[in-house]
Amino acid sequence: MEFKTKHFKKIVVKREDVREKLLKMVPSGERSKERLRMMVLYFLSSIIIAPIKTGEKTPQVDEFCLKAMSDLTFCMNFQWGRYSFDYMLGTIPHTISHFNGLVVNNKKYI
């Protein structure tokens, strides 16, 4: 969690915070492990753990991702597909609740 405390002053880190920080680290022609870690964190928080909400209601970056990106070898070898699948399965109850338990087919009439 050293990376988090070093780069983010806030206790709660959101995907947009990571994006802003990454854009400030725009390549100056040099390679940097810090920038690589920030890119990995942005990828994990944007693609692997796909955000459901945006704006003010955006959830914070997954703590597991914050810890995982500190070890790039771990990130390369971890089963992200399974992790992402389990995460998305966990969002199904929220979606069902959002639609009051019923999703109606929207048909287009031509």
Side-chain angles (χ1 to χ4, degrees):
M1 298 307 279
E2 288 177 33
F3 185 86
K4 178 185 174 188
T5 55
K6 178 180 177 183
H7 291 284
F8 303 102
K9 306 290 186 237
K10 301 178 189 177
I11 294 172
V12 174
V13 179
K14 295 188 176 188
R15 185 174 52 96
E16 284 304 311
D17 299 329
V18 176
R19 182 177 184 274
E20 284 178 26
K21 195 69 166 181
L22 181 58
L23 289 174
K24 288 180 183 175
M25 299 173 107
V26 172
S28 58
E30 66 182 68
R31 290 185 173 181
S32 162
K33 268 203 171 184
E34 295 291 305
R35 196 177 80 216
L36 178 59
R37 286 185 176 131
M38 194 65 72
M39 285 191 278
V40 168
L41 181 58
Y42 187 69
F43 173 79
L44 294 177
S45 64
S46 299
I47 305 299
I48 301 298
I49 308 298
I52 298 168
K53 297 178 181 179
T54 58
E56 292 288 322
K57 297 180 181 181
T58 304
Q60 65 182 354
V61 172
D62 189 47
E63 191 171 330
F64 178 72
C65 292
L66 280 166
K67 291 178 181 177
M69 63 89 207
S70 294
D71 184 357
L72 297 176
T73 304
F74 172 80
C75 286
M76 289 174 32
N77 296 321
F78 187 73
Q79 295 180 354
W80 291 109
R82 180 62 192 202
Y83 188 80
S84 180
F85 176 76
D86 290 343
Y87 175 82
M88 294 310 276
L89 277 180
T91 64
I92 291 174
H94 170 74
T95 304
I96 290 172
S97 173
H98 179 75
F99 289 104
N100 296 321
L102 180 65
V103 179
V104 180
N105 291 336
N106 290 330
K107 295 182 180 179
K108 290 185 179 180
Y109 296 98
I110 300 175

